[in-house]
Amino acid sequence: MGDSQIIQISNLVKDYAMGKQFFRALHDVNLSINTGEFCGLVGPSGSGKTTLLNIIGALDNPTGGDIIIMNNSIKDLKNKQAAKLRNESIGFIFQTYNLLPVYTVFENVEFPLLLLKKSKKEREEAVMRALEWVGLSDKVNSRPNQLSGGESQRVAVARAMVKLPRIVLADEPTANLDAANSHNILQTMLKLNLELKTTFIFATHDEKVIRYLRRKVALSDGNVINDIIMN
Amino acid sequence: MLLLKLAFRNITHAGVRTWLNIIVLSFAFVLIVLTEGLYDGMLQQVRDAEIDSNIGGGQFWQKDYDPYNPFSIELSHSEIPANLKMEIEKGNATAVLITSASIFPRNHIQSVQFKGIDPDQKIVNLPVYILKNETDSSIIPGIIGSRMAKSTGLQADDIVSARWRNINGTFDAGDIKIIKVINTEVKSIDNDQIWIPLKKLRDMMQAPQQATLIILNKNISEIPINNSEWIFKDHKYLLKYLNENIDRKRIYSTFMFVLLIGMALLAVFDTQVLAIFKRRKEIGTLMALGMTKWDVIVLYTLEGCIMGILSFIAGFLYGFPLLTYLAKKGIVLPQIIENTQFSILRILYPKYGLKLYVLTSLILFISVTIVSFLPTHRITKLKPSDALKGKLT
Ligand SMILES: Nc1ncnc2c1ncn2[C@@H]1O[C@H](COP(=O)(O)OP(=O)(O)OP(=O)(O)O)[C@@H](O)[C@H]1O
Ligand SMILES: [Mg+2]
């Protein structure tokens, strides 16, 4: 694995407080992911996919163990450093798109670049390029409430990709989309994965997604029960 | 800088609710300035009226005169010192002779003060020249204020019996004809007193050359004299009671101020709490996109601030012309009483100092900022993963 390894998960444990008790959502997960992988965390509802993805994305803290992501130890990251890591290196795609409702398509996609303090020219070029990838160049001035679900998710993909992150984390990105839109989105992501060597990690139980994966990490009750790499 | 830009974008892109808030806030702003301005204007008018029609530029009091001690009044008169007499002749001052007396309206006895004043005087704004209308020298003409008219039931052209003592302590009696009832907001020239021509009162009291006080022209604040019989009372002294009264009444306007600000702030607070509740997922998204909690807090607080600033601008845009217009035209008070020639506060002229504008803006701005900030504090306890799930703990 060596230098192409981008994420190293070791002995990861996550407990959720449930009143006085704890619920263990992840039991001692060990996993290593390489640059450019197109892989998915698969498993039934409640198996811990979202939990694991959130910790990888530094949106949540592990209870035990650690994740080394691009030489950063997640458990040691301060809030500010975690925000910086997300800002610079990770793109997120959510099941519910999570576009900012008061912004136009352009502004939504531009947002991560504003946080990165890119120049106006850089931003414009990058946004238009990203919208071209997802085929929405003609919707720059639309607002999220004027878009279909498929279009919204494509905007979200553009927003995740616009800064050319090393890693994209996508939690059930197709759950609200029909088959045609799901394939469309996945093909776009696959293309970007091949062209830009972006590492994609999905959390999904959608067969349509699973068919595209080159690696399937099966979770069950917080344990990795299977790890299949295709070729 | 970026956050400011984003906050501005959020505010201007957001819907009706923001604009409603801005309107409410701007209303509060304009109303506060207006009520405070009305208050300041009223106080100024009352003060001016008091100076205008009663105390002039200051007064010399005969040393025994104590307006709050009725027993002193019969004794408190002396001859006017020579240099003050000169000032009176030059038109820089006027003399007033005061004594206590009784009148008998409606067969009741009532204690009053007779105030003798030169009908030709131009020092205080009192229509005493009307006293000259009575040409029959056997009649004692008198002017009373509307409060006095109300408490005695006397009207113009009524005749009322009166009894007083002359300078030697002997009782004397006569009839007074009310020439006119004047409207005035200045209580101190109205309550329980009858204005009589000075010469007449001197005759009645057999006290030629005597006076109780000398009122200076408004534009003269002091005349040096060398006479221990007469003591100079300046504005500070003469307005002390009024000022204290005014300060006490300030509490009402402060209450109004707090109430209006409170209402405005409640609107902001409410929107902010609701916004943060409704925008949990947005908060999660912003953090996923790389903002820190503090970025989000600053962003949301700035939104409140900008709302405040926009409401000032809005308030200024429609408030400034409105307020200026009102200050010029005055506000006519509803109970219009006839004979407005000397009624001072039938029309109120609001008066807004720069201090009022600045202070109101500042207080409103700071409190809007605080109120915008307070609810965002919950965000610090929020985990991005929970926010994304729409949780708020
Ligand atoms: N904030 C939380 N507090 C308590 N328990 C939680 C919390 N979040 C998740 N869990 C629990 O942890 C387990 C794993 O949840 P997770 O959301 O990771 O499942 P998932 O695999 O993503 O499921 P799904 O396919 O339904 O999205 C579930 O049993 C869930 O009830
Ligand atoms: Mg999930």
Side-chain angles (χ1 to χ4, degrees):
Chain A
M1 312 232 160
D3 50 12
S4 70
Q5 177 182 310
I6 191 163
I7 297 166
Q8 175 67 53
I9 303 170
S10 39
N11 308 101
L12 187 70
V13 174
K14 178 65 183 178
D15 290 339
Y16 286 118
M18 304 273 285
K20 284 212 171 89
Q21 288 192 301
F22 286 96
F23 175 79
R24 182 149 291 188
L26 293 174
H27 298 264
D28 196 27
V29 172
N30 290 283
L31 205 60
S32 142
I33 295 168
N34 291 335
T35 299
E37 281 203 51
F38 199 77
C39 68
L41 310 170
V42 301
S45 183
S47 56
K49 306 181 294 289
T50 298
T51 302
L52 181 53
L53 207 63
N54 281 343
I55 298 175
I56 294 173
L59 294 171
D60 204 350
N61 307 313
T63 308
D66 198 7
I67 298 184
I68 309 291
I69 176 164
M70 294 164 50
N71 299 324
N72 297 289
S73 160
I74 288 281
K75 81 174 177 348
D76 295 339
L77 285 185
K78 303 256 185 316
N79 276 334
K80 208 172 164 174
Q81 295 165 314
K84 188 167 184 281
L85 177 69
R86 290 194 294 267
N87 188 14
E88 289 172 353
S89 309
I90 305 176
F92 288 89
I93 298 168
F94 306 97
Q95 177 179 338
T96 51
Y97 327 132
N98 293 21
L99 301 179
L100 301 170
V102 301
Y103 292 176
T104 62
V105 166
F106 185 93
E107 289 165 342
N108 264 285
V109 178
E110 182 194 28
F111 196 88
L113 301 177
L114 282 173
L115 295 183
L116 285 168
K117 304 199 162 60
K118 297 280 188 213
S119 75
K120 192 172 158 63
K121 190 162 164 281
E122 279 177 295
R123 293 199 308 264
E124 238 156 61
E125 281 171 11
V127 170
M128 291 321 290
R129 184 181 55 204
L131 285 173
E132 216 165 282
W133 290 334
V134 297
L136 283 175
S137 304
D138 54 335
K139 298 276 186 189
V140 276
N141 292 318
S142 304
R143 297 208 184 253
N145 60 6
Q146 299 167 319
L147 301 175
S148 71
E151 287 168 338
S152 297
Q153 197 60 301
R154 274 146 66 196
V155 174
V157 171
R159 180 177 66 182
M161 292 303 304
V162 71
K163 62 190 178 189
L164 307 175
R166 301 280 309 277
I167 302 164
V168 169
L169 304 176
D171 194 354
E172 313 276 12
T174 55
N176 291 330
L177 302 180
D178 61 16
N181 272 311
S182 299
H183 287 299
N184 183 313
I185 290 280
L186 276 156
Q187 248 139 24
T188 308
M189 292 200 267
L190 198 55
K191 196 181 80 186
L192 294 170
N193 165 257
L194 294 174
E195 282 175 13
L196 304 169
K197 290 275 167 292
T198 310
T199 307
F200 278 79
I201 306 173
F202 293 84
T204 188
H205 50 235
D206 183 353
E207 268 309 317
K208 299 189 292 292
V209 177
I210 292 172
R211 277 189 5 226
Y212 281 86
L213 299 176
R214 293 199 301 273
R215 178 180 179 187
K216 297 168 196 167
V217 179
L219 289 179
S220 176
D221 291 332
N223 294 295
V224 177
I225 52 163
N226 208 344
D227 188 351
I228 307 167
I229 302 177
M230 326 269 169
N231 0 26
Chain B
M1 198 53 218
L2 168 66
L3 291 175
L4 198 68
K5 192 174 148 188
L6 292 178
F8 195 74
R9 198 191 260 183
N10 285 351
I11 279 287
T12 47
H13 286 27
V16 190
R17 225 192 147 73
T18 317
W19 295 113
L20 236 87
N21 250 315
I22 288 173
I23 291 170
V24 168
L25 265 179
S26 73
F27 263 169
F29 182 51
V30 172
L31 263 175
I32 285 169
V33 173
L34 181 62
T35 45
E36 291 292 302
L38 272 176
Y39 219 85
D40 283 348
M42 188 174 82
L43 301 183
Q44 182 77 51
Q45 269 171 274
V46 168
R47 240 184 226 119
D48 286 352
E50 185 77 26
I51 290 170
D52 232 38
S53 52
N54 187 27
I55 65 182
Q59 299 178 340
F60 282 99
W61 287 9
Q62 199 277 342
K63 69 176 182 353
D64 299 321
Y65 177 60
D66 174 2
Y68 301 108
N69 177 5
F71 300 107
S72 78
I73 288 173
E74 283 187 353
L75 308 168
S76 51
H77 39 77
S78 295
E79 208 158 299
I80 303 168
N83 65 333
L84 288 183
K85 215 177 250 169
M86 245 166 58
E87 297 295 337
I88 292 170
E89 276 156 23
K90 279 195 280 182
N92 288 337
T94 194
V96 176
L97 176 62
I98 303 175
T99 192
S100 35
S102 302
I103 57 169
F104 301 88
R106 296 180 292 200
N107 296 322
H108 285 43
I109 182 164
Q110 184 163 352
S111 297
V112 296
Q113 283 181 15
F114 287 167
K115 288 192 167 175
I117 189 164
D118 177 5
D120 290 317
Q121 64 80 29
K122 302 236 158 33
I123 304 301
V124 286
N125 189 358
L126 271 178
V128 284
Y129 55 86
I130 297 168
L131 290 167
K132 292 194 293 186
N133 290 359
E134 185 52 60
T135 45
D136 186 343
S137 63
S138 65
I139 286 177
I140 308 169
I143 287 177
I144 58 174
S146 48
R147 286 184 190 79
M148 171 77 166
K150 215 168 163 193
S151 72
T152 56
L154 289 172
Q155 291 170 2
D157 294 332
D158 282 358
I159 305 236
V160 63
S161 314
R163 191 183 64 181
W164 64 91
R165 276 195 232 235
N166 70 20
I167 202 166
N168 306 314
T170 320
F171 278 110
D172 201 350
D175 285 342
I176 296 178
K177 182 177 174 194
I178 304 302
I179 305 294
K180 191 176 172 70
V181 175
I182 56 168
N183 269 319
T184 175
E185 284 298 323
V186 182
K187 271 195 207 159
S188 45
I189 58 166
D190 182 336
N191 276 350
D192 299 329
Q193 46 197 284
I194 303 183
W195 293 88
I196 290 170
L198 178 61
K199 197 174 163 309
K200 195 92 188 173
L201 187 59
R202 280 175 171 165
D203 290 348
M204 287 155 64
M205 291 173 67
Q206 298 171 13
Q209 309 301 320
Q210 304 268 310
T212 305
L213 48 89
I214 314 287
I215 307 174
L216 299 188
N217 184 306
K218 253 201 309 202
N219 307 319
I220 298 175
S221 58
E222 211 186 331
I223 294 170
I225 61 161
N226 199 352
N227 188 321
S228 56
E229 278 282 294
W230 293 85
I231 298 154
F232 184 69
K233 306 286 182 183
D234 59 6
H235 273 179
K236 198 174 149 214
Y237 179 89
L238 294 169
L239 288 170
K240 190 169 165 245
Y241 182 72
L242 186 75
N243 282 339
E244 280 171 3
N245 225 347
I246 283 169
D247 285 343
R248 232 170 291 134
K249 292 210 174 96
R250 264 264 167 240
I251 292 176
Y252 297 117
S253 96
T254 311
F255 177 74
M256 193 70 188
F257 191 92
V258 170
L259 198 79
L260 281 167
I261 287 195
M263 263 163 44
L265 292 187
L266 207 67
V268 175
F269 189 75
D270 188 55
T271 343
Q272 198 73 351
V273 169
L274 203 82
I276 286 168
F277 183 73
K278 270 185 13 190
R279 291 164 78 177
R280 296 181 309 291
K281 222 168 90 176
E282 181 184 318
I283 293 168
T285 308
L286 292 175
M287 293 198 274
L289 290 175
M291 279 178 128
T292 63
K293 288 172 185 179
W294 275 102
D295 288 339
V296 179
I297 287 172
V298 171
L299 176 68
Y300 280 27
T301 306
L302 279 175
E303 283 183 24
C305 287
I306 291 173
M307 218 149 72
I309 292 171
L310 285 180
S311 65
F312 293 144
I313 296 173
F316 217 78
L317 284 184
Y318 70 79
F320 193 73
L322 182 78
L323 294 176
T324 314
Y325 176 82
L326 288 178
K328 254 200 201 111
K329 290 275 164 185
I331 293 169
V332 180
L333 297 184
Q335 75 277 32
I336 296 165
I337 299 173
E338 267 187 25
N339 180 16
T340 51
Q341 193 181 354
F342 290 97
S343 64
I344 297 136
L345 287 187
R346 300 293 158 245
I347 300 178
L348 257 180
Y349 295 96
K351 190 165 167 277
Y352 338 92
L354 191 67
K355 199 176 131 199
L356 177 61
Y357 276 122
V358 173
L359 211 70
T360 313
S361 320
L362 216 67
I363 289 177
L364 215 55
F365 184 73
I366 291 171
S367 34
V368 164
T369 307
I370 292 172
V371 161
S372 309
F373 169 73
L374 281 179
T376 62
H377 211 73
R378 292 160 163 245
I379 295 173
T380 52
K381 297 197 205 97
L382 197 60
K383 263 198 304 189
S385 55
D386 286 339
L388 278 166
K389 284 179 192 154
K391 279 192 194 164
L392 191 62
T393 39

